[in-house]
Amino acid sequence: MPTTLDIDTLRSLIAIVELKSFSRAAERVGRSQSAISLQIARLEGLVGHPLLERVRGRVIGVTERGAEFVAHAREIVALNERAVAAMRRPAASERIRLGIPADFLERDFSSTLSEIRARCPDARLSLRTDLSARLAEDVGQGRLDLAFFKRAPSNEASAAIAFESMAWFGDATSAPAGRDDAVPLVAFAEGCAYREEALRSLRLTGRDWIIACEARSLSALLAAVRAGLGYAALPARLAARKSLKHAHRRAELPDLNPVELALGIAEGRNMAFARTIGGIIAERCSLA
């Protein structure tokens, strides 16, 4: 009886090798850590060789046979993706109206677009950035075909791609004059999930606030934070990439909940093709 390799298991293996972490790989592939551990155990049993080098449970690399196998795994996964993409290509005239939050453009989005063009050469994208609330509304009303948007964690039907841990950044050394006990905030306009989480946490703890700076772009928001105009609630990974300093403990700012990244596809659209595009963007941007 022929031996058949599972594509999802190969994706998990590749993620573990690239990230050197079962937990981070689990986030990338959208499975639990225990699930991908079981996948790898079954795979090693299937091929008859250990594939990963581990020290005290941590992945430090691949075995000699593992390196050989991973090379084959990459080829198999790439061929699978090319075959699926070829069948899902739209008609040459079909245009996908895509909406994304503005900060996605600063998550190596140029390489994301290059990958979309490579895997879906007939794709014609019309891109719009906006606040999450508007993106969610527009994809629901059919004004966009595909949209990524942030929201508070929920049980809504639209697919959750990832969760972004939030933290406070900045200080108030140059904050505009206001009440001494009011927290000066640097935030995007209403409709941004980051802003809504900041306000939710402050309301919950009974803290007053003022909007010291309302920014229209990520670059403007970062500049305001670095200028000391106030505190901003941002995803920890994004802020770390931008070298922002965490707010000092003496500011006594409340804990923040994670923000959920969701993918919405308009009803009646080319679902298979939209999900292909969405999958590429989710993998490249949501975990960047």
Side-chain angles (χ1 to χ4, degrees), residues 49-70:
H49 297 281
L51 302 173
L52 300 172
E53 291 277 6
R54 302 177 178 90
V55 173
R56 297 178 182 177
R58 297 183 64 182
V59 178
I60 62 172
V62 293
T63 63
E64 183 177 348
R65 299 302 297 272
E68 180 183 356
F69 184 81
V70 169

Side-chain angles (χ1 to χ4, degrees), residues 124-147:
R124 299 177 65 207
L125 294 180
S126 176
L127 183 65
R128 177 161 67 83
T129 64
D130 210 332
L131 297 168
S132 288
R134 292 175 188 156
L135 294 173
E137 178 182 355
D138 285 351
V139 77
Q141 296 295 322
R143 292 188 289 269
L144 289 170
D145 301 304
L146 176 69

